[in-house]
Amino acid sequence: MKIKTVFFVLFLTLLNLSSIIAAPAAEPPVPMSVNNDPPPLNPPTSDINQNIMLLLVCALIFGIHTIYKYNLKRKASI
């Protein structure tokens, strides 16, 4: 069980690092206007389904884990 936990943590760490490294460079700050008004707010530019594959994989792994634990408990109680 300990090996599975370490593997899972390592997998998530590498996945997060790859998404951080692949991120584009930050834009330079917008200069203030003459009267020091803040710049107008822009709508977000990212997609709403940006990490949908990661969520699906996590849900699939969690579902398999839950079913496996349930079957072990059911088998042991008989």
Side-chain angles (χ1 to χ4, degrees):
M1 185 67 182
K2 180 103 175 159
I3 295 174
K4 290 180 184 178
T5 306
V6 171
F7 178 73
F8 184 67
V9 169
L10 182 65
F11 174 74
L12 286 180
T13 303
L14 290 176
L15 189 67
N16 287 332
L17 283 176
S18 68
S19 65
I20 290 172
I21 292 171
E27 297 178 11
V30 178
M32 298 293 279
S33 64
V34 176
N35 56 4
N36 289 334
D37 288 337
L41 297 176
N42 294 331
T45 59
S46 63
D47 294 336
I48 196 165
N49 59 353
Q50 184 176 2
N51 289 325
I52 195 76
M53 290 305 292
L54 176 64
L55 289 174
L56 288 174
V57 168
C58 289
L60 185 64
I61 291 172
F62 181 69
I64 291 171
H65 178 265
T66 305
I67 291 170
Y68 178 74
K69 285 290 195 178
Y70 175 75
N71 285 339
L72 278 180
K73 188 186 296 186
R74 190 178 65 174
K75 189 185 301 182
S77 66
I78 293 177

